[in-house]
Amino acid sequence: MDLVIRDARVIDGTGGTRAYRADVGITANRISHIAREGEPRLSGARTIEADGRALAPGFIDMHAHSDLALLRDPDHSAKAAQGVTLEVVGQDGLSYAPVDDETLTAIRSAITGWNGDGSDIDFDWRTVGGYLDRIDRQGTAVNAAYLIPQGTVRMLAMGWDDRPATPEELDRMRTLVAEGMEQGAVGMSSGLTYTPGMYASDSELAELCRVVARYGGYYCPHHRSYGAGALQAYAEMVELTRDAGCALHLAHATMNFGVNKGKAPELLALLDKALAEGADITLDTYPYTPGCTTLAAMLPSWANEGGPQATLARLADPDTTARIRHVMEVEGADGCHGVPIEWDTIEISGVSNPELHAYVGRTVAESAAARGEEPFATAHRLLTEDRLGSTILQHVGHEENVRQIMRHPAHTGGSDGILQGDKPHPRAYGTFPQYLGRYVRELGVLSLEECVAHLTSRAAARLRLADRGLVREGYMADLVVFDPETVAAGSTFEKPRTLPVGIPHVLVAGTPVIEDGRRTEALPGRAVRRR
């Protein structure tokens, strides 16, 4: 064997099998032998001494925003150091394939806050397959799978218009989705509080989901409300995918804002009923209460119609700006999920314009008080002077909802980690050790075996990967060694880029990317295509 992990406490990813001691042998990129305690010891060209620490399948990040980070910095320690061996990008309906030149320019501007403006990236692809090929050519620390972004598809077919698609435009979108699935995408995402994807009707979305279903993929919506209309929005997605015959994976399935405090049981009852009726539903969450997005996402959707330049033009008009303020502060903009915005919950986490750095780490209300102005005036300044590039933390979650949802059998882990900004959300660097350290060891919300299953095999099953997500002979050697007694997220809201502790070894395709707690130079990660 090429490598033996000796004397490991194997947590196999099934959730139902108790941990057991074993040597695990790796040949090439696969697990070739498992010798349980009492059986003859394994030997190989190299040995990693686990010394009784846990050995689990590599963690799968079901909701990642590393679309450009994978190319910009293939070292990718933010995820590799957490034990992540596969992440799913192309989330929330907005990403960089499929595109033409015009659409690519608009997308780069629209999601600068998520991924930077891309000025340091050679965009040498225009298709889903081209993007996946680029990952393969370059290599990276971890594997990546891709969701076709419905908002980008709509933009490519019909621009930023808020109107129904014509039959010809709908045919074009169906074709783009089919091409993306044929080229290896695992499903389709939507951002139904983001333009232009939010302009699609349920019937339009269902038509695209039917295409996804033909290829065995799944639909992953950031649905139309996580606030005032959250339960109705979840029910809408369940019914839409039932009609389309498509598997459903609910992105960052939270119940946020004051209107949803204590309402996790209602969401779970809705899902349980659908599951009992035969629906194919999974979900992901991150183990934190604040959310993270862009400041521009808080605007009413009509203010974003036409793209970033049209939005900035509206913000330059005093009458339109006054209307925007009224909708945000009094009525509750759809961008803020139908809830009137509370500026003391909106913390600036990053800016594109370095001259605005003083706003980072403070809420809009705090910065406004320091300047002696209304909070909306501060927000307006950030939106315009940062050209819509500011990212935010939104402190609107509830701990009891977080805990109840993560216990559900359909739950998987997703960081929703945005790596941009001076002070990103700590979930980008800490989601998976946060599950293992805080919610398993400290709080006992999940057992260790259950939690590992949530982070591995359940995600692999959703992605229909028959050879990942378990410690089993013949499976890909995507593995993580961690210490259950010390594993913890190092990242905090004050120091969000601190790497975790208690994860000494991470292997991707049998190659160590983290060894003795340090990043190696290996880049074994590749695109994982739908099969």
Side-chain angles (χ1 to χ4, degrees), residues 443-466:
L443 299 176
V445 175
L446 293 166
S447 73
L448 186 57
E449 288 84 359
E450 287 174 326
C451 186
V452 168
H454 285 229
L455 306 182
T456 58
S457 63
R458 293 182 187 176
R462 165 50 69 223
L463 296 170
R464 299 194 175 183
L465 301 176

Side-chain angles (χ1 to χ4, degrees), residues 148-293:
I148 302 163
Q150 171 261 330
T152 301
V153 165
R154 198 175 207 268
M155 193 187 310
L156 183 56
M158 55 184 293
W160 291 81
D161 295 346
D162 181 4
R163 60 175 176 80
T166 66
E168 294 76 18
E169 289 166 341
L170 186 54
D171 282 343
R172 173 66 171 146
M173 286 189 275
R174 288 194 195 97
T175 298
L176 289 167
V177 171
E179 289 173 350
M181 294 299 295
E182 289 171 1
Q183 292 164 15
V186 295
M188 181 180 75
S189 73
S190 283
L192 300 180
T193 64
Y194 300 128
T195 56
M198 69 185 304
Y199 300 142
S201 65
D202 285 1
S203 60
E204 179 182 312
L205 294 170
E207 287 300 309
L208 302 185
C209 284
R210 290 187 177 94
V211 177
V212 173
R214 287 206 307 269
Y215 290 93
Y218 67 92
Y219 180 44
C220 180
H222 164 127
H223 53 73
R224 298 191 191 275
S225 176
Y226 290 84
L231 286 171
Q232 297 92 320
Y234 281 114
E236 175 189 4
M237 294 299 101
V238 170
E239 184 58 34
L240 186 157
T241 49
R242 190 201 317 268
D243 176 58
C246 187
L248 173 64
H249 181 83
L250 296 166
H252 37 59
T254 57
M255 292 291 287
N256 288 339
F257 301 93
V259 295
N260 290 316
K261 184 175 176 62
K263 288 190 175 181
E266 296 180 45
L267 167 62
L268 300 179
L270 185 158
L271 299 182
D272 285 338
K273 181 176 184 295
L275 288 164
E277 294 169 350
D280 183 359
I281 301 174
T282 51
L283 56 94
D284 66 67
T285 68
Y286 46 84
Y288 298 88
T289 52
C292 179
T293 186

Side-chain angles (χ1 to χ4, degrees), residues 74-408:
D75 176 86
H76 211 39
S77 291
K79 293 299 177 67
Q82 296 184 55
V84 171
T85 57
L86 169 63
E87 54 183 355
V88 185
V89 298
Q91 300 285 351
D92 294 333
L94 293 168
S95 190
Y96 305 91
V99 292
D100 56 18
D101 291 351
E102 181 180 356
T103 302
L104 176 60
T105 299
I107 283 290
R108 287 174 59 180
S109 177
I111 54 176
T112 292
W114 293 358
N115 297 301
D117 64 9
S119 58
D120 54 344
I121 301 293
D122 177 13
F123 289 91
D124 59 353
W125 70 88
R126 293 295 181 270
T127 65
V128 170
Y131 174 74
L132 297 177
D133 288 344
R134 170 67 179 276
I135 292 173
D136 283 344
R137 288 196 308 273
Q138 184 168 311
T140 184
V142 307
N143 300 305
Y146 190 77
L147 292 168
I148 302 163
Q150 171 261 330
T152 301
V153 165
R154 198 175 207 268
M155 193 187 310
L156 183 56
M158 55 184 293
W160 291 81
D161 295 346
D162 181 4
R163 60 175 176 80
T166 66
E168 294 76 18
E169 289 166 341
L170 186 54
D171 282 343
R172 173 66 171 146
M173 286 189 275
R174 288 194 195 97
T175 298
L176 289 167
V177 171
E179 289 173 350
M181 294 299 295
E182 289 171 1
Q183 292 164 15
V186 295
M188 181 180 75
S189 73
S190 283
L192 300 180
T193 64
Y194 300 128
T195 56
M198 69 185 304
Y199 300 142
S201 65
D202 285 1
S203 60
E204 179 182 312
L205 294 170
E207 287 300 309
L208 302 185
C209 284
R210 290 187 177 94
V211 177
V212 173
R214 287 206 307 269
Y215 290 93
Y218 67 92
Y219 180 44
C220 180
H222 164 127
H223 53 73
R224 298 191 191 275
S225 176
Y226 290 84
L231 286 171
Q232 297 92 320
Y234 281 114
E236 175 189 4
M237 294 299 101
V238 170
E239 184 58 34
L240 186 157
T241 49
R242 190 201 317 268
D243 176 58
C246 187
L248 173 64
H249 181 83
L250 296 166
H252 37 59
T254 57
M255 292 291 287
N256 288 339
F257 301 93
V259 295
N260 290 316
K261 184 175 176 62
K263 288 190 175 181
E266 296 180 45
L267 167 62
L268 300 179
L270 185 158
L271 299 182
D272 285 338
K273 181 176 184 295
L275 288 164
E277 294 169 350
D280 183 359
I281 301 174
T282 51
L283 56 94
D284 66 67
T285 68
Y286 46 84
Y288 298 88
T289 52
C292 179
T293 186
T294 62
L295 183 59
M298 298 292 101
L299 295 169
S301 58
W302 56 261
N304 280 317
E305 184 180 358
Q309 297 309 311
T311 301
L312 289 167
R314 292 185 182 99
L315 290 168
D317 177 70
D319 291 340
T320 307
T321 295
R323 182 183 169 204
I324 289 171
R325 178 178 182 177
H326 178 80
V327 172
M328 293 180 73
E329 295 186 339
V330 179
E331 297 178 9
D334 48 5
C336 195
H337 308 279
V339 178
I341 198 162
E342 298 174 334
W343 294 112
D344 59 352
T345 69
I346 306 297
E347 177 185 350
I348 304 301
S349 59
V351 292
S352 298
N353 181 351
E355 295 181 2
L356 301 172
H357 180 75
Y359 292 93
V360 174
R362 308 173 77 181
T363 68
V364 171
E366 288 171 341
S367 290
R371 296 180 62 88
E373 62 187 12
E374 293 292 322
F376 183 82
T378 301
H380 185 269
R381 178 179 296 104
L382 281 161
L383 288 163
T384 54
E385 294 184 13
D386 208 24
R387 310 291 294 176
L388 311 181
S390 302
T391 53
I392 64 170
L393 302 181
Q394 195 171 14
H395 296 271
V396 292
H398 306 288
E399 179 67 20
E400 67 273 26
N401 286 348
V402 169
R403 296 188 193 188
Q404 290 187 56
I405 292 169
M406 73 170 63
R407 290 191 184 103
H408 195 274

Side-chain angles (χ1 to χ4, degrees), residues 33-97:
H33 297 78
I34 299 176
R36 296 197 179 215
E37 191 173 30
E39 298 176 357
R41 305 301 297 270
L42 301 182
S43 61
R46 294 186 58 205
T47 301
I48 291 175
E49 296 293 344
D51 295 325
R53 287 173 293 201
L55 172 66
F59 305 135
I60 298 176
D61 188 342
M62 287 296 289
H63 193 104
H65 286 285
S66 306
D67 308 48
L68 298 186
L70 288 162
L71 308 179
R72 177 182 295 118
D73 180 21
D75 176 86
H76 211 39
S77 291
K79 293 299 177 67
Q82 296 184 55
V84 171
T85 57
L86 169 63
E87 54 183 355
V88 185
V89 298
Q91 300 285 351
D92 294 333
L94 293 168
S95 190
Y96 305 91

